[in-house]
Every structure is written in structure tokens, then in C-alpha cells.
């Protein structure tokens, strides 16, 4: 394992040092191969070393890497137009940052700018949600354990339980500016919000005159079988945020807002946001998703994986539920044994992640094919059987 005494131990790492990747696979320092169903925490829609992505990155880094946002660059302009078109949210404009948290910060600032002159300062968010680790996005996160050590934080947020449209409606007072939801709650345990609840959130926001913000940092860019998961429920938010998959492994985040809500000159900024290199990489991601029909693949393979897992895990006493949307899949356990399952899967040559202590998460590249899906399904069933025996015994 890499010796890293100089690194702040913010992450509990799995016992592997990875050195190389290709397609659906990564390799450790001893040359051992792993099927990558962690997918860089959902950041690798094209898998590793995708030829189209590599070519775009090589070409652009040779041509122009970075000049700051004080100058026009073609890749950013083209990327913004492509994202605005793909997200199909009406007339929109895009702000680029470098991460999910930064995309959400931009969204929160847009909400603030819109609401403040009307005395609308509160944002209704969901219990169990996750929106990032910066001060504002942490305040928006409905997980007290993550906030606790840093409180008091911003008091803009009120939390209501997911799936409770009545509570959501009740929390929207005269001072409310926005409703903030993740269409599939990722870090909270891969919990898809129902179409009915998402539609209710849209209708309530509209009737009460507040904005609807969808955090699609994890669920967007094809992960759930559509460019944005909210569209699967027929819901169009006023603002949506994207990050993880967008750069195909390079850091980029985007806040997409209705044109009339957009920042004006001087109201927001990010030095690196949407630079030529990362924008060219993101364009290659969007092109490959289209050309290789990866939205369809995510939808079809996701259903297949979840269906097969439900069959393979039927009667398994450790498992309460298999759920998700597209290739954002969670296996909910009845005890907090997700880490043990992830470790058992590493032994079997498959990478996955935890989304809370009792949910094992699969976020493979969107290029995954049936043979790799079947290998992963068999490994998950076997790993859970092993951990289940250990828990019981
Ligand atoms: N929003 C959601 C829904 C996320 O899942 C995440 C990260 O997991 C974030 C925001 C924060 O993104 P980042 O870690 O890129 O800042």
C-alpha cells in the first residue's frame, strides 16, 4: 500500500493501491486486475483510457490547456451549448466550476440572489441528503453526523423527510426561496425519489412561487439512463447541477439555470472552471455517450443487474432490498456490513463502494457490457453470502 503520512486521512481507504486502468478494469501495484464497479465513485462513464476521450485530451492539451475565464475559448462555449441542449430545461445558461460542491455553491448563490430581494431566504432540503462538504453545501446536507463538528452553519435550510409531500408543502413559508432535492439520493444510501414525490416537489414549488433545484451531481450525465434523472419523472427543475461523470475523470462541475436566473458579470467566478482542457474532455464524454448509446445501455444494463441481483439474493437474510436507477445501484443490508461486503468483493476482484454503513453501491462505467455485468453479479451474490455467514456465525 502507498505510504502517505503527509496526506490528511479524510478518507478511510480500501487496502489497494491502484496504478493503471483500461476500459472496465483497473490494476493494482502488483498487477492484479479488478473489475471496476466503483467507477471512480461514478466519475468514469467511459471507463478508463477511452480512445475518444484520450484523443480529445491529448489534442487539447497540445493546443491550449488553460487561459482563465477572462478570454473566450471554443471548448467551453461548445460544451455549455451541448449541456444546455441535452438537459432540455428550456432557455438555460451554464456556470462551470470544478466539483459537485462548487456546482451546488453556484446553485445556492443563484437562489440567494433571486430570493433575497423578495425576502425569500429559506431553502427546503431533504433529511438524509448529501450536497457536498463546503460550508454552504454541508449546511444543505441533511445528515447531522456530517454537519455536527462544524456547527453552527448557515441557517438557511429546513429539512423534511423524503417522500412526504405534505411536510414539504408545510415547510414552504412566505420566506422560502427554493426546494433542493437529489432525484436519486446517492450518499444517503442510493435512494431513488419516487416519480410521484418529484412531481409533487415540482408542482408545490411552482404553486408556491419558489425555485426547484435538482442536485444531479451523482445521478446526472447518463448514470440513471437519461442525461438528468429528473427527466425520468417528467420533472424540469429551474436549476440543476452536474459534476461526477461530466469530465470522464477530470474535475468539472456545472450549474444549469433558467436564463433569467443566471449570474451577471462579476457575480460569481471560478479560475479553473470550464477551462479548455477539461471542457474538451467533457465534450468527448458527451459525444461518446451519444455515439455509443450509453444512456440506453445504462437503462438496460441497470435493469438487468438489479433484476439478476434480486433473483440471486432472494432469501438472503442479510439483504433487505436492491434498488436504484440505471447504473446507480444500491444493495441495502439489514446490518451495517457494507464495508465487509466491499472488502469481500475486492478479494473476488470486483470494486464497489459504500453508500452509508449498510448500503453497498455499484456505479460502473456506462460502457459496461453483459459479460462484465454477469461477473459482477455473481461476485456480489457470493460476497454477500460469505459476509452473511460471518455475521450469522
Ligand atoms: N452532490 C451530490 C448528490 C453528491 O453525490 C456529491 C458527491 O458525492 C456532491 C454533491 C459533492 O460533489 P464533490 O465531491 O465533487 O464536491
Amino acid at each position: 500500500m502507498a505510504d502517505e503520512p503527509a496526506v490528511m486521512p479524510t478518507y478511510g481507504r480500501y487496502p489497494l493501491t491502484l496504478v493503471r486502468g483500461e476500459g472496465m478494469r483497473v490494476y493494482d501495484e502488483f498487477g492484479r486486475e479488478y473489475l471496476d464497479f466503483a467507477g471512480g465513485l461514478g466519475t468514469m462513464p467511459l471507463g478508463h483510457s477511452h480512445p475518444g476521450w484520450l484523443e480529445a485530451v491529448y489534442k487539447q492539451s497540445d493546443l491550449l490547456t488553460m487561459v482563465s475565464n477572462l478570454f473566450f475559448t471554443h471548448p467551453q462555449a461548445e460544451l455549455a451549448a451541448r449541456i444546455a441542449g441535452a438537459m432540455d430545461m428550456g432557455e438555460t445558461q451554464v456556470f462551470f466550476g470544478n466539483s459537485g460542491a462548487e456546482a451546488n455553491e453556484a446553485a445556492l448563490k443563484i437562489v440567494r440572489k433571486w430570493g433575497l430581494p423578495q425576502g425569500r431566504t429559506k431553502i427546503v432540503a431533504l433529511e438524509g441528503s448529501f450536497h457536498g462538504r463546503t460550508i454552504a453545501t454541508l449546511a444543505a446536507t441533511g445528515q447531522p453526523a456530517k454537519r455536527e463538528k462544524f456547527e453552527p452553519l448557515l441557517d438557511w435550510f429546513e429539512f423534511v423527510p423524503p417522500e412526504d409531500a405534505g411536510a414539504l408543502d408545510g415547510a414552504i413559508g412566505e420566506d422560502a426561496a427554493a426546494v433542493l432535492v437529489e432525484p436519486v439520493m446517492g450518499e444517503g444510501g442510493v435512494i431513488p425519489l419516487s416519480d410521484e414525490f418529484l412531481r409533487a416537489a415540482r408542482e408545490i414549488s411552482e404553486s408556491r412561487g419558489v425555485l426547484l433545484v435538482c442536485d444531479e451531481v451523482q445521478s446526472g450525465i447518463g448514470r440513471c439512463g437519461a442525461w438528468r434523472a429528473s427527466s425520468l419523472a417528467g420533472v424540469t427543475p429551474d436549476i440543476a447541477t452536474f459534476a461526477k461523470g461530466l469530465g470522464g475523470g477530470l474535475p468539472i462541475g456545472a450549474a444549469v439555470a433558467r436564463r433569467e436566473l443566471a449570474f451577471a458579470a462579476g457575480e460569481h467566478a471560478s479560475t479553473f472552471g470550464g477551462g479548455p482542457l477539461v471542457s474538451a474532455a467533457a465534450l468527448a464524454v458527451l459525444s461518446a455517450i451519444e455515439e455509443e448509446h450509453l444512456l440506453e445501455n445504462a437503462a438496460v444494463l441497470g435493469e438487468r443487474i438489479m433484476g439478476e441481483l434480486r433473483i440471486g439474493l432472494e432469501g438472503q437474510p442479510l439483504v433487505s432490498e436492491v434498488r436504484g436507477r440505471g447504473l446507480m445501484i444500491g444493495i441495502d443490508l439489514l446490518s451495517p456490513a457494507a464495508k465487509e461486503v466491499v472488502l469481500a468483493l475486492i478479494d473476488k476482484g470486483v470494486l464497489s463502494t459504500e453508500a452509508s454503513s449498510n448500503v453497498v453501491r455499484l456505479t460502473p462505467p456506462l460502457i459496461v457490457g453483459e459479460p462484465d455485468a454477469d461477473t459482477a453479479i455473481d461476485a456480489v451474490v457470493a460476497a454477500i453470502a460469505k459476509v452473511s455467514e460471518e455475521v450469522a456465525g
Side-chain angles (χ1 to χ4, degrees), residues 15-206:
L16 277 186
T17 302
L18 299 171
V19 296
R20 189 170 73 81
E22 199 179 331
M24 285 295 302
R25 287 169 170 71
V26 289
Y27 299 83
D28 73 10
E29 58 191 327
F30 308 109
R32 189 173 175 211
E33 179 181 297
Y34 298 87
L35 188 53
D36 190 5
F37 268 58
L41 271 172
T43 60
M44 300 298 286
L46 310 185
H48 303 270
S49 310
H50 182 280
W53 183 90
L54 274 183
E55 193 191 338
V57 169
Y58 286 151
K59 259 196 188 156
Q60 188 61 47
S61 49
D62 194 29
L63 198 60
L64 184 73
T65 301
M66 182 64 187
V67 286
S68 91
N69 277 305
L70 296 174
F71 302 93
F72 293 96
T73 55
H74 289 298
Q76 181 178 136
E78 195 186 330
L79 178 62
R82 287 277 293 277
I83 291 176
M87 295 314 164
D88 195 19
M89 293 163 54
E91 279 271 300
T92 53
Q93 285 189 315
V94 185
F95 174 83
F96 291 109
N98 308 285
S99 65
E102 213 185 328
N104 285 339
E105 286 278 346
L108 295 173
K109 246 176 103 170
I110 291 171
V111 168
R112 187 78 173 163
K113 183 196 153 197
W114 175 83
L116 209 50
Q118 316 171 51
R120 292 180 173 274
T121 55
K122 293 280 175 197
I123 297 172
V124 183
L126 299 184
E127 290 169 8
S129 63
F130 182 80
H131 299 293
R133 298 288 197 153
T134 59
I135 291 291
T137 59
L138 185 60
T141 289
Q143 298 187 38
K146 292 196 167 70
R147 293 202 310 259
E148 219 158 59
K149 283 192 185 165
F150 304 95
E151 285 175 328
L153 289 162
L154 292 177
D155 63 355
W156 304 357
F157 301 93
E158 181 166 340
F159 297 98
V160 297
E163 300 299 332
D164 190 340
L168 183 71
D169 193 38
I172 300 178
E174 295 283 290
D175 59 349
V179 171
L180 169 63
V181 297
E182 291 162 86
V184 181
M185 299 171 72
E187 300 308 299
V190 193
I191 303 168
L193 296 179
S194 67
D195 290 355
E196 295 70 37
F197 180 71
L198 274 172
R199 280 188 211 125
R202 175 67 279 181
E203 279 158 23
I204 292 166
S205 317
E206 211 153 290

Side-chain angles (χ1 to χ4, degrees), residues 120-343:
R120 292 180 173 274
T121 55
K122 293 280 175 197
I123 297 172
V124 183
L126 299 184
E127 290 169 8
S129 63
F130 182 80
H131 299 293
R133 298 288 197 153
T134 59
I135 291 291
T137 59
L138 185 60
T141 289
Q143 298 187 38
K146 292 196 167 70
R147 293 202 310 259
E148 219 158 59
K149 283 192 185 165
F150 304 95
E151 285 175 328
L153 289 162
L154 292 177
D155 63 355
W156 304 357
F157 301 93
E158 181 166 340
F159 297 98
V160 297
E163 300 299 332
D164 190 340
L168 183 71
D169 193 38
I172 300 178
E174 295 283 290
D175 59 349
V179 171
L180 169 63
V181 297
E182 291 162 86
V184 181
M185 299 171 72
E187 300 308 299
V190 193
I191 303 168
L193 296 179
S194 67
D195 290 355
E196 295 70 37
F197 180 71
L198 274 172
R199 280 188 211 125
R202 175 67 279 181
E203 279 158 23
I204 292 166
S205 317
E206 211 153 290
S207 68
R208 308 297 294 278
V210 305
L211 303 175
L212 177 66
V213 184
C214 283
D215 176 347
E216 300 238 17
V217 163
Q218 193 162 156
S219 60
I221 318 293
R223 171 75 29 213
C224 295
W227 289 114
R228 53 181 176 83
S230 46
S231 73
L232 296 167
V235 164
T236 305
D238 302 292
I239 305 171
T241 54
F242 304 92
K244 288 194 186 285
L246 181 55
L250 289 181
I252 183 169
V256 181
R258 282 196 350 242
R259 185 179 281 268
E260 64 270 28
L261 298 170
F263 289 124
E267 288 179 350
H268 201 47
S270 171
T271 299
F272 282 108
L277 177 60
V278 75
S279 291
L283 280 166
V285 169
L286 301 186
S287 294
I289 289 177
E290 253 167 39
E291 286 158 17
E292 296 172 30
H293 309 291
L294 299 183
L295 300 182
E296 296 80 351
N297 195 56
V300 171
L301 267 282
E303 279 308 310
R304 177 190 171 99
I305 294 170
M306 284 189 279
E308 294 291 317
L309 281 176
R310 285 183 191 117
I311 293 168
L313 294 168
E314 207 181 338
Q316 168 52 256
L318 188 58
V319 173
S320 101
E321 189 185 20
V322 176
R323 61 177 177 242
R325 250 192 159 155
L327 290 170
M328 189 168 170
I329 298 170
I331 303 144
D332 194 332
L333 307 177
L334 288 164
S335 60
K339 184 164 189 187
E340 286 73 10
V341 173
V342 170
L343 293 173

